[in-house]
Amino acid sequence: MAEVNLDDIQGDLFNRGFPKFHEVYYFFHIMSTKEKEFSQKVKNLVSGEDKHISSLKKVLEDWKGVDGAARKNRTIDDPAKKEVVPTCNVLIAFSKSGLDKIQTGLTLAGRPSLDLRNLKLSDPIFDMGMREDGPNNLNDPPVDDWDPLFRKTTIHGLLKVAGSSPEIVNNELDHVKRILGYPYIIKDIDGNSPPTKTNSKLEGNTRPGKEHGHEHFGFRDGLSQPLLKGINSPEALKADPYMQTNQNIITVTSNPPGTQDGIEAYPKDRPPWMVNGSFLAFRKLEQDVQKWIDLVNKFADAGCKNADHCGAKLMGRWKSGAPIAKFPKEDAPPGTRFDNAFRYKGVAKFDCPLGAHIRKVHPRTDADSIKMARMIRNGIPYGTEFKPNDRPDPNDTRGLLFACYQSSLENSFQFVQRAWSNNEKFPTSKTGYDALIGQAKDDGMLNITLHSDDEGDLDPGLGQFQKSVTMKGGEYFFVPSISALKNTLGCD
């Protein structure tokens, strides 16, 4: 396998992603007649000494500083005296419509074709876009029900800016927007996405205190990530050998993997400039925390001893992140160091149902279809903390800004959502839906089969229930390599 070029791959494309407490997703539109000028501005982002798009090499160096400070902070009791390492990193990505606009500019500049027509064969889901794919194939809500940010002006590009504070992040975002010619060459999308009030962007923050690293239902997030040789440390690879993943599952290479059964896609037809890039699926997922609480409070019907136990069965992990396959009766004691190297072979369905979220989306076998479905997930929570006794406010929402990277949407995100999470007959005819992110057709009710301690099906168990997570908008993007930004998508 060729050595990974850390200077060429954008820096969010590994399991830890950008170091962050705050993150902004800024969506933009390229102005008509300004396509050539935009390509010139793109080249400026990655030219010279002051590069604004972060490479993997830069992000890995940032993590060394962050990890060093974390080790020192363990011996400091006063939070005010703990060191926070200033960091800021930027990713840029383009929708298919955005690449079409860039092609227009390159044509005007007399530059070679991007061969975008090949994408209909190599990456048909990306070519289609989420507005068409989501409602038609993933049981997403109709586009008219999405937040205004995602249903009005065509989104051509995305800037993802993450760092140690809102001030650092927003200052860098403004700087990069100016480099790209805002507001004369690029402009805002005419629409917002609550609770962010500003048009064209979404803001996320890690949750405070002990909830840091957890999503709004309370579960530790970001576990079971693909590990990559040449990027992750030898120690990390050794600790979880099952999660070692071929680079061509995450980034485009000249030697792509195969395709999932029944998928008509031909990744070998991709143009060469896409090597070292990756496809990004972005989705804004609104979480109804009260609805989730009401669901897990039916724990007695589900054969569980309490609500936390019921939630762990639906998730496949306790809130600490401890897998229920290894801790079937109760959460791991505080401070327990648990490894992530486990399989489901021999795990009783009573302990971990076949429909548990992490078992649904990653069944942990050696089948090629399982390995090809892997993706890097680097999202962040958004919104305020849930307060059970507050009067509901339709503008005070919370959830997850979900972002995942893979070399093939057909093999990974789209396949997992469509064929596994939304399929009540996967892996068996009586499994039920993924209770976390599953979506039934026409916004129908969900169900999941739970089991008694003698492996019998509980009837009705949780019965039919409404989804607790609602997709509020999104798009598919391509994250080019830094060399492609400079030499192919950018021009003089």
Side-chain angles (χ1 to χ4, degrees), residues 48-69:
E49 293 184 5
D50 190 17
K51 297 179 176 64
H52 294 276
I53 302 302
S54 300
S55 67
L56 267 174
K57 183 176 181 180
K58 193 263 186 189
V59 172
L60 289 169
E61 285 298 316
D62 281 359
W63 272 112
K64 288 180 181 179
V66 170
D67 290 340

Side-chain angles (χ1 to χ4, degrees), residues 14 42 48 66 79 93 151 164 203 213 244 273 290 300 327 332 347 371 421-422 437 468 475:
F14 82 119
V42 166
V66 170
R151 69 171 187 256
S164 49
E203 297 176 319
Q244 291 187 33
W273 66 265
Q290 187 60 59
F327 297 87
V347 174
K371 294 180 178 179
S421 291
N422 292 357
I437 62 168
S468 302
E475 184 56 286

Side-chain angles (χ1 to χ4, degrees), residues 302-303 313 329 347-352 449-459:
K313 285 195 175 189
K329 304 303 180 186
V347 174
K349 291 184 291 184
F350 169 72
D351 292 331
C352 183
T449 300
L450 300 174
H451 308 276
S452 61
D453 55 7
D454 63 359
E455 296 293 281
D457 296 345
L458 288 175
D459 186 17

Side-chain angles (χ1 to χ4, degrees), residues 57 100 120 142 204 210 239 251 255 257 286 340 360 371 377 384 389 412 437 462:
K57 183 176 181 180
D100 288 337
K120 287 186 179 293
K210 293 181 180 180
T251 57
N255 182 33
E286 184 175 290
N340 202 48
K360 264 274 201 185
K371 294 180 178 179
R377 310 175 319 280
T384 58
N389 297 321
S412 301
I437 62 168
L462 294 175

